[in-house]
Amino acid sequence: MKVEATNWQQLDDYLKTDDRAVVPLGSTEQHAFLSLSVDSILSERVALEAAEPLGIPVFPAIPYGVTPYFLDYPGSISLRVETYVRLVRDILDSLKAQGFRRILLVNGHGGNQPAGSLAIEWMADNPGVAVKFHNWWNAPKTFAKVQEIDPVASHASWMENFPWTRLAGVVQPTQQKPMVDFARMRVMDPKAVRKLLGDGNFGGYYERPDEEMQAIWDVAVAETRELMEGPWS
Ligand SMILES: [Zn+2]
């Protein structure tokens, strides 16, 4: 149930029989030749498809996350960790006040990990409300499927290139990019990161056949749905 297409009365009715909610966590940041909104598009879509048969409301994806290393790339917006944690806390507080008791955060961006730490702290302060933090792309089954298809996969590579994150008219390079030196990149400032990464792909091919991407997607939707189903206590 897409919250965007729902009114408050419908949610009021829903809360009489269920108390689950899903909040996708996205980011607006460089993804090489793909959309700047890859992490928002994928987290929201996987959440919606997983929630659909269960009838659980899926809130709009938070479009901004924590991505300071990409700040030299136009269109990359980074919230401070402090801002981000406050934002997610306000969302959890609002949901709790209305009666939601089981909340799944479907995260699409590695830099948003502080929300996972916050969720653990918040639960201790709010007994009776369960919050799960789910990195959909590196959850065990989904990541195993990615590895089975091509172990050289990372940020902005083929593994984020779905028909729904690709841009019309943009041609993807055909070569396999060597994996970036993560140890060096982690200590670089944004300008140096851009110089090191160039187009922004961390490493790997830029595109793989749609059938392979659909196979990964199917696993990701099923795995995300399992988390919605339980256990919650
Ligand atoms: Zn991404």
Side-chain angles (χ1 to χ4, degrees):
M1 179 164 41
K2 199 175 187 180
V3 165
E4 194 184 300
T6 310
N7 63 28
W8 73 264
Q9 292 93 339
Q10 289 165 328
L11 279 191
D12 206 32
D13 285 344
Y14 167 83
L15 280 163
K16 289 171 189 151
T17 58
D18 207 330
D19 59 9
R20 290 175 289 180
V22 179
V23 181
L25 309 179
S27 180
T28 303
E29 63 180 55
Q30 76 80 10
H31 273 83
F33 301 94
L34 303 170
S35 166
L36 284 154
S37 295
V38 163
D39 296 341
S40 309
I41 293 168
L42 295 179
S43 60
E44 187 167 299
R45 188 173 174 125
V46 80
L48 280 168
E49 289 189 24
E52 221 266 322
L54 306 175
I56 301 173
V58 177
F59 282 80
I62 301 180
Y64 302 117
V66 180
T67 184
Y69 29 85
F70 291 151
L71 278 174
D72 202 45
Y73 286 93
S76 301
I77 307 288
S78 188
L79 302 180
R80 292 191 179 277
V81 170
E82 190 188 340
T83 312
Y84 189 63
V85 163
R86 283 170 184 247
L87 175 69
V88 176
R89 181 191 295 280
D90 285 352
I91 292 168
L92 295 176
D93 286 344
S94 303
L95 292 171
K96 182 197 171 189
Q98 294 155 17
F100 290 98
R101 293 292 177 266
R102 295 174 290 171
I103 301 161
L104 178 66
L105 303 174
V106 177
N107 180 41
H109 170 56
N112 294 344
Q113 200 60 41
S117 302
L118 169 79
I120 295 166
E121 181 185 283
W122 189 90
M123 275 192 287
D125 292 340
N126 293 273
V129 189
V131 184
K132 292 183 187 176
F133 180 84
H134 171 51
N135 284 324
W136 77 265
W137 81 95
N138 73 359
K141 289 174 193 165
T142 303
F143 200 65
K145 189 73 190 168
V146 168
Q147 296 290 300
E148 175 195 313
I149 288 170
D150 181 350
V152 187
S154 194
H155 170 83
S157 75
W158 67 273
M159 73 173 281
E160 299 202 277
N161 185 341
F162 291 87
W164 41 92
T165 51
R166 240 168 255 165
L167 301 174
V170 176
V171 179
Q172 302 288 332
T174 52
Q175 77 275 21
Q176 186 183 43
K177 189 175 177 179
M179 198 53 79
V180 67
D181 183 338
F182 282 101
R184 282 187 63 217
M185 187 174 67
R186 273 195 206 102
V187 292
M188 288 180 172
D189 64 42
K191 276 206 181 334
V193 167
R194 180 169 167 178
K195 211 168 155 202
L196 178 76
L197 279 180
D199 63 32
N201 175 355
F202 281 3
Y205 285 108
Y206 292 77
E207 194 162 45
R208 295 198 61 99
D210 284 352
E211 311 80 69
E212 292 178 355
M213 300 314 292
Q214 188 62 49
I216 293 169
W217 192 252
D218 292 343
V219 173
V221 169
E223 190 168 34
T224 301
R225 188 176 296 145
E226 280 169 27
L227 285 165
M228 293 175 184
E229 287 168 335
W232 282 96
S233 59

